[in-house]
Amino acid sequence: MADPVERYLELALRLGRHHEDLVDSYYGPAELARRVEAEELREPAALAEDAAALAAELDDDPWLAAQVVSLQASARKLAGERLEYAEEGRLVYGIEPRWHDEEPFRRAAAQLDEALPGSGDVRERYARWFEQTAIPAGLVEQAVLDAAAELRRLTREAIGLPDGEQFELELVTGERWLGYAHYLGGLRTHIRVNTDLPLAAADLVLLTSHEIYGGHHTHRVWQEVELVRGQGQLERTVDLLWSPEAVISEGIAMTGPELLTGDGQQLAAEVLGRLGFVYDAEVGSRVVAAREALLPIAANLAMLLNDRGGSPEEAREYAATWSLQPDERVAKQVDSQLRSSSPPYQHTYWQGRELVRAHVAGDPARFRELLTARVLPDDLVA
């Protein structure tokens, strides 16, 4: 019988043939991937049984066992079984999905009201701010590349980067997300930025850092160098989008930017200024502080729609009331939840950030250590 790591990789790739979102990336043994691709498609129910058998053999490796349990739960869903929302959160992500109390959203609304003086109610002023700070479409690609260049320098200084790492950038449309980092192996990542909605200047540095320097790309290149090449951990050559590792990964990507640039607004103003676009970083900082408190709204929407029986109309009303975003952004946010194949994933952002931020405590050395640590969400809670 193949060793547990090889069986794990095979299981992931077999399940990935049933849903394209499950396996985010794979750069492991090519022969193994070719073998799985050439097989007759195995039913998800049979793969769930394979996962259960493998998990039972992994008492000495809690990290790998948790990843296999997540695959088992995904196989059960793909076989047509309905998992309760909280159960999916526990089995797939290793967390208890939590509803976020609205009181911080009230305070954030007051912050926005103060940050954006002028006529009209706060939602109208917020909409105008989005319009005024939208990066012209023709500047977006260069702005991201320029921001990435600055962030690469900051990352080298604060965290370090392996020699030879690189990324490629593509602007896309029609996706449910704003940014996506697909790791290719060989220290390379394919970055996609969705331009369905204008990119707000406030998001330039935060998005670029989340996906590239300080976030996902930085995380994966160090894993390849230290864990795959350095320690032979082939299990790290597959990245499961629906797994406990996603909580750590998104927590890292939410925490890295603040270690490098604080709220990122001054750097955004500098990058955009060189391109001839004027952005008020001081106002941006006050708005971003409020928006940070509003981050958990997306997870609340996922719970409202998938755990509390809310309708799309109720979700749109909730998002408009609490996020205060303009209608087109509310519609995009709700549509993203409606199109999600694993709604509890939304909790990996704010709950992952909560765990990683508390663990790192502002220390770049602790952050760097976490990039290649073999930890589960529960380990950070402890």
Side-chain angles (χ1 to χ4, degrees):
M1 182 177 288
D3 70 49
V5 169
E6 184 174 333
R7 289 160 64 195
Y8 167 65
L9 295 177
E10 290 173 340
L11 178 64
L13 293 176
R14 285 168 180 155
L15 272 171
R17 294 177 67 190
H18 288 275
H19 200 298
E20 63 180 3
D21 287 347
L22 193 152
V23 175
D24 192 48
S25 65
Y26 175 76
Y27 61 98
E31 176 55 36
L32 188 152
R34 285 193 293 268
R35 185 172 72 244
V36 169
E37 190 62 32
E39 294 175 347
E40 184 176 344
L41 196 65
R42 298 197 61 183
E43 291 301 315
L47 294 174
E49 294 177 359
D50 292 346
L54 178 55
E57 301 173 22
L58 295 171
D59 289 341
D60 60 340
D61 191 342
W63 184 90
L64 189 57
Q67 293 288 109
V68 173
V69 166
S70 77
L71 286 173
Q72 181 186 1
S74 293
R76 289 167 58 192
K77 280 191 64 177
L78 290 168
E81 185 175 346
R82 184 183 182 279
L83 300 182
E84 295 296 327
Y85 192 88
E87 182 184 18
E88 184 174 347
R90 288 191 295 268
L91 294 177
V92 175
Y93 300 104
I95 59 174
E96 190 72 36
R98 304 201 315 269
W99 180 271
H100 198 286
D101 180 71
E102 284 87 1
E103 185 54 37
F105 306 159
R106 296 182 201 279
R107 294 196 294 270
Q111 286 179 275
L112 282 174
D113 193 18
E114 185 177 344
L116 300 169
S119 61
D121 65 23
V122 64
R123 192 162 183 244
E124 291 177 283
R125 283 176 275 143
Y126 196 23
R128 284 200 298 271
W129 178 83
F130 272 112
E131 292 175 0
Q132 293 163 358
T133 64
I135 301 172
L139 294 182
V140 169
E141 183 172 12
Q142 192 60 53
V144 172
L145 292 172
D146 290 354
E150 293 293 336
L151 287 162
R152 174 184 268 160
R153 175 182 60 80
L154 294 170
T155 303
R156 284 192 182 281
E157 293 172 358
I159 302 167
L161 283 168
D163 292 337
E165 57 76 25
Q166 55 187 304
F167 71 92
E168 57 192 50
L169 175 65
E170 180 185 10
L171 303 185
V172 299
T173 58
E175 302 291 353
R176 53 180 293 270
W177 34 258
L178 174 58
Y180 204 100
H182 175 64
Y183 193 61
L184 303 173
L187 308 186
R188 298 174 300 120
T189 303
H190 181 199
I191 304 296
R192 288 177 286 168
V193 172
N194 186 11
T195 59
D196 285 347
L197 295 173
L199 180 62
D203 292 330
L204 172 62
V205 168
L206 299 177
L207 171 67
T208 306
S209 185
H210 183 106
E211 304 297 345
I212 313 175
Y213 293 115
H216 293 313
H217 172 72
T218 303
H219 187 192
R220 298 305 176 204
V221 296
W222 275 123
Q223 285 191 331
E224 181 172 356
V225 167
E226 291 197 351
L227 303 183
V228 178
R229 300 181 186 180
Q231 300 180 31
Q233 292 186 20
L234 287 181
E235 60 269 37
R236 297 291 188 152
T237 61
V238 67
D239 181 18
L240 302 180
L241 192 64
W242 307 332
S243 70
E245 174 65 7
V247 179
I248 307 300
S249 179
E250 293 297 357
I252 283 171
M254 297 298 294
T255 304
E258 66 190 35
L259 285 178
L260 297 176
T261 68
D263 65 13
Q265 301 310 289
Q266 185 57 47
L267 179 56
E270 293 169 5
V271 168
L272 291 169
R274 290 195 289 269
L275 295 174
F277 184 84
V278 177
Y279 173 60
D280 190 328
E282 184 178 347
V283 172
S285 289
R286 295 200 296 269
V287 173
V288 165
R291 293 177 73 199
E292 180 180 332
L294 300 173
L295 174 69
I297 287 174
N300 280 10
L301 287 174
M303 288 193 79
L304 178 63
L305 288 164
N306 298 282
D307 187 48
R308 299 189 171 192
S311 68
E313 292 73 23
E314 289 171 319
R316 282 188 282 270
E317 182 180 354
Y318 184 90
T321 299
W322 293 110
S323 77
L324 298 173
Q325 295 184 106
D327 290 342
E328 65 274 13
R329 292 181 180 270
V330 165
K332 185 72 173 178
Q333 189 172 41
V334 173
D335 179 66
S336 178
Q337 304 314 313
L338 292 171
R339 293 168 61 188
S340 175
S341 299
S342 183
Y345 190 92
Q346 276 301 324
H347 297 264
T348 68
Y349 294 103
W350 82 264
Q351 291 185 224
R353 180 186 65 176
E354 185 178 71
L355 291 172
V356 170
R357 180 185 276 176
H359 176 80
V360 170
D363 183 352
R366 286 176 66 85
F367 181 82
R368 172 64 183 84
E369 182 181 65
L370 187 60
L371 295 180
T372 52
R374 199 176 180 86
V375 295
L376 295 167
D378 276 350
D379 298 322
L380 299 192
V381 171

